[in-house]
Amino acid sequence: MESISRISSMLETGTFSTPSPVASPRNPPQETNRTHLLPHIARDLTLEAAQSATTARSLRPVSHPPKPLPPAVLKKLLDNRNDRDVLDGLRRVISMIYRSQPTRVYFSSVIKNVASPSLEVRKLVYIYLVHHAEHEPDLALLSINTIQKSLSDGNPQVRALALKVMSAIRVPVISQIVSLAIKKGVGDMSPHVRKAAALAIPKCYRLDPATEPQLLGYLTTLLVDKQYFVVGAAVMAFLEVCPDRIDLVHKHYRSLARKLVDMDEWGQLATLRLMLFYARRCFPRRTKKITTSGTDDFYGEDNGNDVENEEAQEVEVLEPDLEMLLKAMKPLLQSHNSAVVMAVARCYLYLAPAQYLDLAIGPLIALLRSPQDIQQIALYNIVSVCLARPASFVRYATHFLIHTTDPPDVWQLKLEVLTLIFPHCETHLKGIILSELEHFSRTSNAELVRESVRAIGRCAQSDPLTATRCLRLLLGQISSPNGNLVAESLTVTRHLVQQDPSAHTGTVIRLAKNLDTTHDAHARAGIIWLVGEFAGVGGENNIAADVLRILAKGFADESETAKLQIVLLAAKVYVHFLNRTQLAEGGEKGMADSVPKETEAEKQNFHASVVETATANGKHNSDQAEQGMHPIALLWQYILLLARYDVSYDLRDRARMYRALLVDPSSTQLATLLLLAPKPVPHAPSPSKSRQGLMLGSTSLAIGQDGGSLGLQGDEALPEWVEPGKEPDPSLREDPTAKADGGEKRELTAAERLDRAIRGDGRVKAAQSVTNKVNGLSSSAKDKSLDDWLAEGDAEVQEGTEESSEEDEEETSEGEEEDDDSEDESSEESSDDESEGADEGNTLMGS
């Protein structure tokens, strides 16, 4: 950029200096015309433009693919000896693969570079080879020898990459070669290569299931590895190759539980899943009864008379190994990975008592601060846990209040959680929840209004103490101008009334009064149906007949849904009238039998004469006959006539059916059975009840019924607890590296090693104290000055001399004792020995 700035300044000044071969004071640069230097300027600009283009091409984003080249030019790049050109060609080929363009024509040219010394070139060749090896197996086999040689490369990254590529080539012929490569990788010194070997085991198993015995041996070796990320990969391979071989896990159970904290996130997920299934199959569920006394005396002692007040409670007893596992996974609740937190909560839900699950509630609530996709999945699992233990979420109720930015899937799940914890909340918290539901039931979102009203209904069903308040809240919304709100409120009210009809007679009357102001078709139909259900309560004092009279006036203006309910109401009212009439006639039957036959015959003749007279006199007499009928019968006939000439064929058919049922007033058994049959009490369960049997953290739990009745394919059901007495021997879980004296030698976790390094090992401290004592160092050595150290040095020299003399005397005395004990030697020899020992002692003292 310096040349461009220089040229720009020259152009602005209008003068250029021509550089001479030898610049000197005698020969200064001459001012020339700018036209003479235009070629030099063009050359500099061309160089600068080329450099800028090169830089821009190297910094080009991935979203802009390179310009496509002809196949001949691309092959020429791949066959070039320059690594830069080969790399450029491979990048173009790989980009063509991901754009779904044909690239098999370059197979031979790409495979030639499999032995390139450049690691970048080799990686791209491996990607191409894995993608096309299944379609070109013969040509892919040509590169196997070169890849095998890479297994002995000095760079562990190259060895791991070669092992990954060999296991990813889906050619069944090389299954044994892949197995040997895995065997070599299992014994590699680099943990990255061993991890690649563990991840290659499932690929080899899918390639050839006959290699399972060999792979199980490799898995057994990798499960004992000291590197945590290697063990995690081995557990993942175990779950895919042989998840039912629990016998291979027994001796590694405790080491896996200790290494769980230090594994990577994928390894933790695999290990937690393995431990969940292992614990259900190997640890029986045991409980014991604990007796608690009723009262104590003033001094806290049992009275001895409260045997009847004692209560026996069942408490779950945990196996020691299971308790160790539950404590080992507790730190994982602080993981940044939401899947790990969910896996720990799943283990606590299905394996542990309630106090362990309470530890996971807070971390689950913390997931609600995640992005919306994670938040939705977390809510599905929270609802599943809440179905089992709703009381644990009461203190977090405010976290489930709806925000205006929540998408529909999120606020639906929040409403569900609020209704589940509602019965367990305190009074003030219940008031907050109902106020929130009432607020959102008055919004403009129709779906939110409907779900809020239904949530109020579920709260009333789950808590009878607040059912009256919920019902009063719903009745207050009937007068709303929002038809959707009114219809849904009436539906929920109807469900609540049906649960206890005798206690809601006044509610039905209040609903009937709202028919004058309610204009929604479904709302009016619901009220009419509810009035019909209460038509038999109170006998003749019931309001059903009067409501029918009012509705008959505006029958023509009603909607088809309301007309159907009006016809049904008329049929129910008429059936109740006929049943009351028959009951009254049955009570007067005795009196009717005592009447003489002549009187009865006279009565029949009188009725016949009245009918004949009415027929003869025409309309006036027929009106008099109709005036003799009961008003309910007249209403029934009038409704039938209105329905007979209605435009709806469904309504006409329904009216004909009811008329056929009630054609004979003396026989109403069939009509009573059809129209007045008791209705089942409606109950609105939680929408997630259908997901209750699905495993926590599974994909089927989030998808629900869309995944089928049995969930998605691949989801494994949770095994049942093993029966007591059929569990494996606990001695199988002992560490194979246990000491002979009964002590257990185990690998320390990274956290334990760090703590041990900070605090210091006790045995090291003891050894240091012994060494200090031998060297004459005391605990106050740090407080001594240089003069004190010198004085102690002189004293130690004198003490050393005295100690040496004492040791010589002790040796002499020991020699004398040994000579006295020998019976075979004579007294002279013993005296000689004593004299010799004394001479030696004097000699040593002199020295």
Side-chain angles (χ1 to χ4, degrees):
M1 300 301 293
E2 294 179 358
S3 59
I4 295 179
S5 61
R6 180 171 55 86
I7 295 169
S8 300
S9 62
M10 292 179 181
L11 290 174
E12 291 176 358
T13 57
T15 57
F16 299 94
S17 60
T18 304
S20 58
V22 180
S24 63
R26 297 181 179 179
N27 188 18
Q30 299 177 358
E31 301 295 333
T32 60
N33 190 10
R34 69 175 64 180
T35 56
H36 293 84
L37 293 181
L38 286 179
H40 301 284
I41 298 173
R43 183 186 62 185
D44 293 339
L45 290 176
T46 303
L47 292 175
E48 288 290 339
Q51 293 178 1
S52 300
T54 305
T55 305
R57 184 173 56 183
S58 61
L59 297 177
R60 180 182 298 166
V62 182
S63 59
H64 298 282
K67 185 178 180 180
L69 297 177
V73 178
L74 191 54
K75 281 188 175 182
K76 187 177 180 180
L77 286 175
L78 295 173
D79 296 336
N80 201 321
R81 295 183 180 181
N82 189 359
D83 291 341
R84 180 178 296 178
D85 295 338
V86 174
L87 188 61
D88 186 22
L90 286 172
R91 287 174 178 171
R92 294 177 180 273
V93 171
I94 298 301
S95 65
M96 292 173 63
I97 291 177
Y98 289 106
R99 292 200 303 270
S100 301
Q101 296 180 2
T103 56
R104 291 174 59 182
V105 294
Y106 309 109
F107 195 92
S108 57
S109 301
V110 173
I111 295 301
K112 292 178 182 179
N113 301 294
V114 73
S116 175
S118 175
L119 185 59
E120 295 182 357
V121 172
R122 200 180 302 181
K123 287 181 180 180
L124 295 179
V125 172
Y126 287 162
I127 294 174
Y128 181 88
L129 179 61
V130 171
H131 187 79
H132 289 290
E134 192 173 3
H135 303 286
E136 298 287 346
D138 297 334
L139 294 177
L141 294 177
L142 299 177
S143 61
I144 296 299
N145 293 332
T146 306
I147 299 176
Q148 278 184 301
K149 293 179 181 178
S150 299
L151 294 173
S152 304
D153 195 275
N155 189 355
Q157 185 180 1
V158 175
R159 298 198 301 270
L161 185 61
L163 188 54
K164 291 178 182 179
V165 173
M166 285 192 65
S167 60
I169 296 177
R170 295 179 294 272
V171 179
V173 181
I174 64 170
S175 59
Q176 294 299 327
I177 300 177
V178 175
S179 178
L180 294 175
I182 294 174
K183 181 180 180 180
K184 189 174 182 179
V186 168
D188 198 279
M189 295 296 294
S190 174
H192 298 282
V193 181
R194 296 198 300 271
K195 180 181 179 180
L199 296 176
I201 289 176
K203 300 177 184 178
C204 183
Y205 177 75
R206 290 194 295 266
L207 191 63
D208 186 8
T211 58
E212 182 180 1
Q214 306 171 15
L215 300 179
L216 290 181
Y218 305 153
L219 274 177
T220 306
T221 305
L222 291 171
L223 287 174
V224 198
D225 201 289
K226 296 182 179 180
Q227 293 293 334
Y228 309 107
F229 55 89
V230 177
V231 176
V235 172
M236 295 170 63
F238 177 86
L239 289 176
E240 189 167 353
V241 175
C242 52
D244 297 329
R245 291 292 305 272
I246 301 297
D247 56 314
L248 298 178
V249 187
H250 290 319
K251 57 183 179 180
H252 308 298
Y253 172 81
R254 296 176 183 173
S255 63
L256 289 175
R258 287 190 294 267
K259 295 175 182 177
L260 183 61
V261 182
D262 299 313
M263 292 182 183
D264 59 328
E265 296 170 347
W266 296 105
Q268 288 172 351
L269 290 174
T271 307
L272 287 173
R273 184 175 181 83
L274 173 63
M275 291 303 175
L276 174 62
F277 287 88
Y278 180 88
R280 300 275 292 197
R281 294 174 180 174
C282 299
F283 298 122
R285 193 170 190 178
R286 293 189 175 93
T287 57
K288 67 177 181 180
K289 293 184 178 181
I290 298 178
T291 304
T292 57
S293 59
T295 59
D296 296 339
D297 62 0
F298 180 77
Y299 297 98
E301 297 179 356
D302 295 336
N303 293 328
N305 299 325
D306 297 332
V307 180
E308 297 179 356
N309 296 330
E310 293 182 352
E311 298 179 356
Q313 297 180 355
E314 287 190 358
V315 180
E316 188 174 353
V317 181
L318 293 177
E319 296 287 338
D321 287 335
L322 178 58
E323 188 175 3
M324 179 193 69
L325 173 64
L326 297 177
K327 291 181 179 179
M329 66 177 66
K330 181 180 177 181
L332 300 183
L333 292 173
Q334 310 299 326
S335 176
H336 295 286
N337 193 329
S338 57
V340 175
V341 176
M342 201 68 63
V344 177
R346 176 177 57 195
C347 292
Y348 281 164
L349 177 63
Y350 297 130
L351 298 180
Q355 58 268 22
Y356 283 94
L357 182 60
D358 293 339
L359 299 175
I361 301 300
L364 285 177
I365 299 299
L367 297 179
L368 297 180
R369 294 190 291 267
S370 304
Q372 288 184 356
D373 51 350
I374 299 178
Q375 185 180 2
Q376 181 181 355
I377 301 300
L379 279 171
Y380 276 117
N381 291 272
I382 287 174
V383 170
S384 182
V385 178
C386 194
L387 289 172
R389 289 191 57 83
S392 301
F393 292 89
V394 172
R395 54 179 176 173
Y396 303 104
T398 55
H399 291 78
F400 300 103
L401 299 180
I402 302 175
H403 301 283
T404 55
T405 57
D406 290 339
D409 295 333
V410 172
W411 57 253
Q412 285 178 1
L413 294 171
K414 285 186 176 181
L415 287 177
E416 190 171 354
V417 175
L418 289 176
T419 56
L420 289 174
I421 66 176
F422 184 81
H424 306 275
C425 296
E426 297 179 356
T427 305
H428 73 282
L429 194 55
K430 290 180 180 178
I432 293 175
I433 294 175
L434 289 179
S435 299
E436 287 290 323
L437 295 178
E438 182 183 6
H439 169 72
F440 286 107
S441 65
R442 300 181 184 275
T443 59
S444 58
N445 189 348
E447 187 177 0
L448 181 57
V449 169
R450 181 171 60 253
E451 293 298 330
S452 299
V453 174
R454 291 178 181 177
I456 295 174
R458 290 199 297 270
C459 291
Q461 291 181 1
S462 60
D463 188 14
L465 298 178
T466 58
T468 305
R469 180 179 178 181
C470 295
L471 187 60
R472 186 167 58 252
L473 182 63
L474 293 172
L475 292 176
Q477 295 175 344
I478 294 177
S479 58
S480 173
N482 189 351
N484 186 23
L485 174 60
V486 173
E488 197 64 36
S489 299
L490 285 174
T491 302
V492 176
T493 303
R494 177 170 58 85
H495 292 169
L496 295 177
V497 169
Q498 283 185 262
Q499 292 182 358
D500 191 6
S502 60
H504 292 90
T505 305
T507 304
V508 177
I509 296 175
R510 182 175 177 180
L511 289 175
K513 292 180 180 179
N514 285 278
L515 285 173
D516 297 335
T517 58
T518 303
H519 302 286
D520 186 78
H522 295 282
R524 293 180 65 84
I527 295 175
I528 296 170
W529 182 89
L530 197 59
V531 172
E533 286 295 309
F534 281 78
V537 179
E540 295 182 356
N541 296 327
N542 194 276
I543 64 170
D546 196 23
V547 171
L548 179 62
R549 178 184 62 81
I550 296 173
L551 292 173
K553 297 178 180 180
F555 184 85
D557 299 330
E558 297 285 349
S559 63
E560 182 179 355
T561 306
K563 288 179 181 179
L564 290 173
Q565 296 301 326
I566 292 173
V567 173
L568 178 60
L569 175 63
K572 289 180 180 180
V573 170
Y574 187 57
V575 168
H576 283 297
F577 166 72
L578 293 178
N579 290 337
R580 287 195 302 269
T581 303
Q582 291 179 1
L583 185 62
E585 291 178 355
E588 299 175 356
K589 187 175 181 180
M591 298 177 61
D593 293 340
S594 61
V595 177
K597 294 182 178 180
E598 292 79 10
T599 305
E600 188 70 23
E602 291 176 0
K603 185 183 293 187
Q604 292 178 0
N605 294 333
F606 173 75
H607 283 294
S609 62
V610 169
V611 172
E612 291 176 359
T613 305
T615 304
N617 294 334
K619 181 178 180 181
H620 178 71
N621 293 334
S622 64
D623 292 339
Q624 292 181 351
E626 290 179 359
Q627 290 177 358
M629 296 180 62
H630 196 276
I632 294 179
L634 291 176
L635 277 175
W636 168 243
Q637 297 294 335
Y638 181 67
I639 295 297
L640 288 179
L641 288 175
L642 291 176
R644 180 178 181 181
Y645 298 102
D646 195 84
V647 295
S648 174
Y649 60 87
D650 190 11
L651 182 62
R652 296 196 301 268
D653 293 343
R654 190 75 57 89
R656 280 195 294 267
M657 183 187 69
Y658 293 153
R659 184 174 56 188
L661 286 173
L662 300 172
V663 65
D664 187 5
S666 62
S667 178
T668 60
Q669 291 84 2
L670 183 59
T672 302
L673 182 62
L674 292 178
L675 299 177
L676 305 181
K679 309 298 187 298
V681 178
H683 182 71
S686 176
S688 294
K689 280 287 186 180
S690 59
R691 296 188 177 97
Q692 194 169 6
L694 301 176
M695 187 185 299
L696 187 70
S698 62
T699 309
S700 300
L701 182 64
I703 295 178
Q705 297 179 353
D706 296 337
S709 58
L710 301 178
L712 293 178
Q713 185 179 4
D715 283 351
E716 187 175 359
L718 188 68
E720 298 292 336
W721 287 95
V722 63
E723 297 180 2
K726 296 183 180 181
E727 71 275 9
D729 189 2
S731 61
L732 296 175
R733 289 188 289 273
E734 293 181 358
D735 202 333
T737 61
K739 295 182 180 179
D741 57 354
E744 187 178 355
K745 181 182 178 181
R746 65 181 181 88
E747 291 290 334
L748 299 177
T749 62
E752 291 175 348
R753 291 179 183 176
L754 183 60
D755 296 339
R756 182 71 57 89
I758 294 174
R759 296 192 306 265
D761 194 357
R763 291 176 296 179
V764 175
K765 290 183 177 180
Q768 289 177 355
S769 62
V770 172
T771 306
N772 292 337
K773 290 181 179 180
V774 173
N775 296 332
L777 299 176
S778 61
S779 60
S780 61
K782 297 181 179 180
D783 300 334
K784 294 180 180 180
S785 61
L786 180 60
D787 296 336
D788 296 336
W789 283 106
L790 294 176
E792 287 184 359
D794 297 338
E796 288 176 0
V797 172
Q798 294 178 2
E799 290 177 0
T801 306
E802 293 176 0
E803 288 178 359
S804 62
S805 61
E806 291 176 0
E807 290 178 358
D808 295 337
E809 291 177 359
E810 290 178 359
E811 292 177 358
T812 305
S813 61
E814 289 177 359
E816 292 175 356
E817 292 176 358
E818 291 177 358
D819 294 337
D820 292 339
D821 294 337
S822 60
E823 298 178 355
D824 298 338
E825 295 180 357
S826 61
S827 60
E828 296 178 357
E829 292 177 353
S830 63
S831 61
D832 295 338
D833 293 336
E834 291 176 0
S835 60
E836 291 175 1
D839 295 336
E840 292 176 358
N842 295 330
T843 304
L844 292 173
M845 288 295 291
S847 63

